[in-house]
Structure formats: C-alpha cells, structure tokens
Amino acid sequence: MSRVSQAQAIENRRRAVAAASQLFRERGVNGISVADLMKSIGLTTGGFYKQFPSKEALVAEAAQAAFGDLDLLLTSFDATHGDHDTARGALVDFYLTAEHRDQPGTGCPTAGFAGDVAREPTPGEVRETYAAGVEAFAAWMSTDTEDGLPMVATLVGAILLARATAGTELSEKILESTHKVMTAPHEPDPES
C-alpha cells in the first residue's frame, strides 16, 4: 500500500474540511456521515481517522472554516462598497434573498450551524467556535450607535424561518418584510 505524502495529507484534510463545511450547513451534522463525507471527496473512511480524532473535531474545524469564509465575504463587502454603512446595507440586501435562502451549503454559517450547535449536549469546542463566529459577525454589523447582535439575530432568524417555509408564500413574505424592517430609516431615540 502506498503512503500519502505530507503535502497530499494536508490537501486531503483541507478538502475534507471544505466539504464538511458545505455539507454540514446543507444537510446538518447528523445528515452527513463520515463515510458519505469522505466519499464525496474520493477518500476512504480510514483516511478520515488519520486526519481527525472525531467527527466533533471536524465539526469545529468546519465551522471555523465557514466563519473564515464569512469574514472574507464581509471584507469583500467593505472593499466593494467603500464605506462600512453601505457595505452593511448591501449585506442585508444579499442576506435576505431567495438565492441565499436556497443555497444553505454556501450560505451564512451562523444560520447553517445554528440548529446543530444548539443540540450540542455540553459546551465544548464546537460551541466556542460558533460563539466566536457569531460575535465577529455581530461586531461587523455594529454601528456607532447600535449593537450588531440584534441585527444578526434578526437576519439569522429570518433566513432560518424562510428556509423552513421555502416553497410557500410565507417564505417570500418573511424575506421581504424582514428586509423592509431592517432597511427602514430609524427614528432617533427620544430618551437619548
């Protein structure tokens, strides 16, 4: 039997993490087995256990990779739109679309991993990785006057509900009405 070079082993690990990141968001952690994951990239289950101590370790690494992709997306929004307020508005426009709703595998990891992380029986690496990603997303969504966490919660809640009701008129209404609320001009707080 031939041994895999160190460079090939690193590439195999990268491919496994990338595939897991997409498939876990698309089908859920329990919706994809180790065997199915490895088959999707043309490797054996034995190869998985040479790379990862457990599926949980892969889930944490896949979530971290997905949040890394989100960071790159947010950076590209800033670069493309010039100022952060315009970039944030463009992200809201993108986030609350049928395209984003219908492509969970490449969509926001905050929504994609939410259900699985919520079902984690105990705090651990997966939950810590997820929490750090949510905090970073919320920091990016923050304004000079508003904490970004309610905005992230609204976006994620809307996309989860829209995905759960996809194929119905309600799904479109969720996206449209949430977009309307999130892009409406804000009245100054009279108590400020």
Side-chain angles (χ1 to χ4, degrees):
M1 205 183 295
S2 66
R3 290 183 48 89
V4 174
S5 71
Q6 185 174 7
Q8 187 60 53
I10 291 168
E11 176 59 15
N12 290 348
R13 181 184 186 93
R14 186 203 62 75
R15 288 175 49 223
V17 170
S21 176
Q22 179 175 346
L23 291 170
F24 290 159
R25 283 181 277 169
E26 197 172 278
R27 300 184 200 167
V29 171
N30 292 325
I32 185 83
S33 69
V34 167
D36 290 338
L37 169 68
M38 296 307 281
K39 183 178 179 182
S40 78
I41 60 170
L43 298 174
T44 65
T45 303
F48 173 85
Y49 291 105
K50 291 178 184 172
Q51 295 287 340
F52 305 97
S54 65
K55 187 175 179 182
E56 181 179 335
L58 174 61
V59 173
E61 201 166 325
Q64 186 172 24
F67 278 108
D69 291 343
L70 177 61
D71 288 343
L72 291 173
L73 177 69
L74 299 177
T75 299
S76 76
F77 269 84
D78 278 330
T80 301
H81 297 285
D83 73 270
H84 192 66
D85 289 337
T86 303
R88 191 174 31 259
L91 178 77
V92 170
D93 292 344
F94 161 76
Y95 203 99
L96 297 170
T97 62
E99 178 184 357
H100 183 227
R101 177 198 62 205
D102 297 341
Q103 297 179 4
T106 56
C108 179
T110 312
F113 282 90
D116 290 308
V117 174
R119 287 186 286 277
E120 283 289 311
T122 58
E125 186 178 7
V126 173
R127 191 164 287 164
E128 289 170 11
T129 298
Y130 183 81
V134 171
E135 286 177 336
F137 187 19
W140 190 89
M141 289 296 294
S142 294
T143 68
D144 292 338
T145 59
E146 291 184 41
D147 178 4
L149 203 50
M151 290 184 273
V152 168
T154 301
L155 288 170
V156 172
I159 205 70
L160 288 172
L161 290 172
R163 285 176 179 164
T165 58
T168 70
E169 289 180 26
L170 180 59
S171 182
E172 297 300 324
K173 187 175 180 180
I174 290 166
L175 294 173
E176 291 167 9
S177 62
T178 305
H179 184 270
K180 183 177 178 181
V181 167
M182 290 197 70
T183 57
H186 296 309
E187 297 289 326
D189 186 358
E191 295 183 22
S192 295

